Amino acid sequence: MRTARTSWRTCSLGAAAVAALLAATACNPGVADTKNPTTPTTAPSTAGTTHSSPSPSTSTSSSAGTSSGAGTVACNDNDLSITTSVWRQDSGRHLLVTATNFTDKTCTLYHYPYIGFGAVIDGPLAPMGSAPKAIATIGPKEKAYAGLFLYRGSEKTVPVEAVSIGYQDRALNSNKESAMLDVALSKEIGSLDVGTNARVTYWNRDLGAIEDLLFRSGTS
């Protein structure tokens, strides 16, 4: 479901191990700008980057909503650079997770990421919205996105300084017992506020679809 929407710009919290997209103008985390295209802006740094540990999964089970990319290997920590960013004029209520494939092979981000917040809040978060019609298969240097709804305006929150992330295989809810890797937030942001009803979207290659869900579903 796509409707006319306001374009949002993101400001970087973490950084990728590969070349990041740079905004045409300066970007101050947590400050508003709705005039620019919906392309996440990231700042080069080693913080917030993950590409280590688990081996690629080779499960052959299937799940609903996989209209493309069937048979590709599931992405894992060895394939991805992860950055986190927030939208300007959003008061930190939502977080964007950007996964970039820095390898020379294609892989698929299945379903939704397992998200926790270090030792402060146990994960994984429950998903929001429905699975996209096509799975998020990404080739070398390509990106996929997931969005987090963190809290409502009047909700009691706790501060967190890291986001924990894990990945699913083709089978829904697979790898749930695997350890999640912490992604540190940048020093410029310091921490995020998280409520008791935080949720995460499914992976999607379309950033606009993530924004439509986060900002037009009543969670904002």
Side-chain angles (χ1 to χ4, degrees):
M1 179 183 71
R2 298 301 305 274
T3 57
R5 55 181 172 77
T6 302
S7 292
W8 294 78
R9 186 176 175 202
T10 58
C11 301
S12 173
L13 296 185
V18 294
L21 296 177
L22 298 177
T25 56
C27 187
N28 295 320
V31 184
D33 183 350
T34 59
K35 298 181 181 179
N36 293 282
T38 58
T39 302
T41 303
T42 55
S45 162
T46 56
T49 302
T50 68
H51 44 88
S52 59
S53 75
S55 300
S57 174
T58 56
S59 170
T60 57
S61 58
S62 62
S63 62
T66 57
S67 61
S68 67
T72 59
V73 173
C75 299
N76 66 81
D77 293 331
N78 295 317
D79 306 313
L80 302 171
S81 173
I82 298 296
T83 60
T84 53
S85 50
V86 292
W87 283 266
R88 298 166 64 113
Q89 286 187 338
D90 181 48
S91 303
R93 295 187 192 180
H94 303 85
L95 186 73
L96 178 67
V97 176
T98 301
T100 303
N101 181 353
F102 66 81
T103 72
D104 58 359
K105 64 182 180 180
T106 296
C107 65
T108 295
L109 286 159
Y110 288 101
H111 312 298
Y112 54 90
Y114 291 139
I115 297 291
F117 297 96
V120 179
I121 299 177
D122 290 334
L125 300 184
M128 63 182 294
S130 56
K133 293 181 180 179
I135 57 177
T137 298
I138 52 177
K141 299 183 180 179
E142 292 183 338
K143 300 176 184 295
Y145 309 95
L148 275 65
F149 162 66
L150 299 176
Y151 70 95
R152 296 185 184 277
S154 59
E155 189 176 3
K156 183 178 180 181
T157 62
V158 295
V160 301
E161 297 182 354
V163 176
S164 306
I165 187 167
Y167 309 97
Q168 299 195 49
D169 205 341
R170 290 184 183 87
L172 182 62
N173 296 324
S174 55
N175 302 335
K176 213 164 191 176
E177 301 303 318
S178 299
M180 296 193 294
L181 194 64
D182 285 353
V183 179
L185 303 176
S186 69
K187 294 180 179 179
E188 288 77 9
I189 295 302
S191 66
L192 292 171
D193 293 322
V194 180
T196 58
N197 197 39
R199 294 290 184 270
V200 62
T201 71
Y202 286 78
W203 289 110
N204 201 315
R205 293 191 59 184
D206 183 358
L207 176 57
I210 297 292
E211 292 174 328
D212 281 347
L213 181 59
L214 290 178
F215 297 105
R216 299 193 182 277
S217 65
T219 62
S220 56

